[in-house]
Amino acid sequence: MHSQEDRALRQLWELADAPSRGPKARWTLRDVADAAVALADENGLEAVSLARVAARLGVVTTALYRYVESKATLIELMVDAAIGDPPAISAPDWRDRCRSWVDALAGAYAAHPWLADVRPTRMPTQPRAYAWIEALVQAIRNDVDADPLRLALLLDSLVRSNASLRASTAHGVPPTWLGEAIADRFPLLAAAAEQDTSDASAELGFAVEAVLRGIR
């Protein structure tokens, strides 16, 4: 006997059918995830609750338990919906395939900034999380002189770290005196302190290029 949470994830993997008992469900599991994603896009991850998702779908909270019983599992469904399917990757050079993949995944995080607030507590349970890694491994495995899986996981971690940095610095404004203090106390960092590092995409690009240059 599977728990409700386990059934929800098994449905996500298309390993189980929707519950057949009782009246026909008004919504699908994907509808529930999409409603939660819309809430998070509008007001952040903390704004998502089973009650608010139920209200958005026009049902009472207890009716939502037919689909999912905890916010933790709801978030797992949301992540799968938000990152979507990986794109088709095609380019003559394997490095360009990596860049294309990184740009697409970073785009998903930029479209849904709350993704950076999701703190994994176990290995991924969503099929699309694996689909993205599989897509890059498949695209580069015959051309790269390195372990393609490890490279894919490394690039994935760079995208996630960059998204987290972008989110954590989006609303924080440093004191006006900090730049001068850094330059005065740490002269070797003076030039860096004057650079504009607010472009998160440029910082991600630098990190990716550093990785790709290190691989033949």
Side-chain angles (χ1 to χ4, degrees):
M1 180 69 71
H2 299 293
S3 69
Q4 177 65 23
E5 304 310 309
D6 185 61
R7 284 197 297 271
L9 293 174
R10 285 171 62 83
Q11 286 182 52
L12 194 62
W13 283 85
E14 299 181 350
L15 297 176
D17 296 327
S20 57
R21 293 183 180 180
K24 183 178 179 180
R26 180 180 177 185
W27 306 104
T28 66
L29 198 63
R30 184 65 67 191
D31 293 329
V32 173
D34 288 343
V37 167
L39 277 172
D41 287 346
E42 294 168 5
N43 302 299
L45 189 61
E46 291 186 357
V48 176
S49 68
L50 295 183
R52 288 183 178 133
V53 172
R56 195 176 189 96
L57 293 174
V59 299
V60 296
T61 304
T62 53
L64 200 65
Y65 293 154
R66 178 172 185 173
Y67 306 90
V68 61
E69 290 185 348
S70 73
K71 182 176 178 179
T73 299
L74 177 61
I75 288 174
E76 291 183 278
L77 303 180
M78 291 168 60
V79 170
D80 187 79
I83 62 173
D85 294 315
I89 305 172
S90 61
D93 187 87
W94 68 268
R95 292 178 179 83
D96 286 334
R97 288 172 235 152
C98 288
R99 295 182 183 106
S100 176
W101 183 91
V102 165
D103 288 344
L105 185 57
Y109 274 82
H112 308 285
W114 55 267
L115 281 170
D117 295 328
V118 177
R119 298 292 179 261
T121 58
R122 59 179 176 177
M123 65 182 293
T125 60
Q126 308 93 338
R128 282 169 166 166
Y130 293 97
W132 277 84
I133 300 299
E134 174 84 2
L136 183 55
V137 171
Q138 179 67 30
I140 65 176
R141 63 192 179 102
N142 294 324
D143 301 307
V144 62
D145 188 21
D147 185 327
L149 176 57
R150 288 181 175 176
L151 176 56
L153 292 173
L154 176 57
L155 294 177
D156 178 76
S157 69
L158 288 178
V159 173
R160 292 172 183 271
S161 297
N162 181 263
S164 180
L165 179 63
R166 184 200 299 261
S168 64
T169 59
H171 305 293
V173 179
T176 56
W177 50 263
L178 184 59
E180 183 177 349
I182 292 174
D184 181 62
R185 184 169 300 185
F186 307 107
L188 293 180
L189 300 181
E194 295 175 357
Q195 293 178 0
D196 180 9
T197 59
S198 60
D199 186 351
S201 61
E203 296 303 309
L204 176 60
F206 176 86
V208 170
E209 292 305 314
V211 169
L212 297 181
R213 282 197 301 269
I215 300 175
R216 288 180 293 174

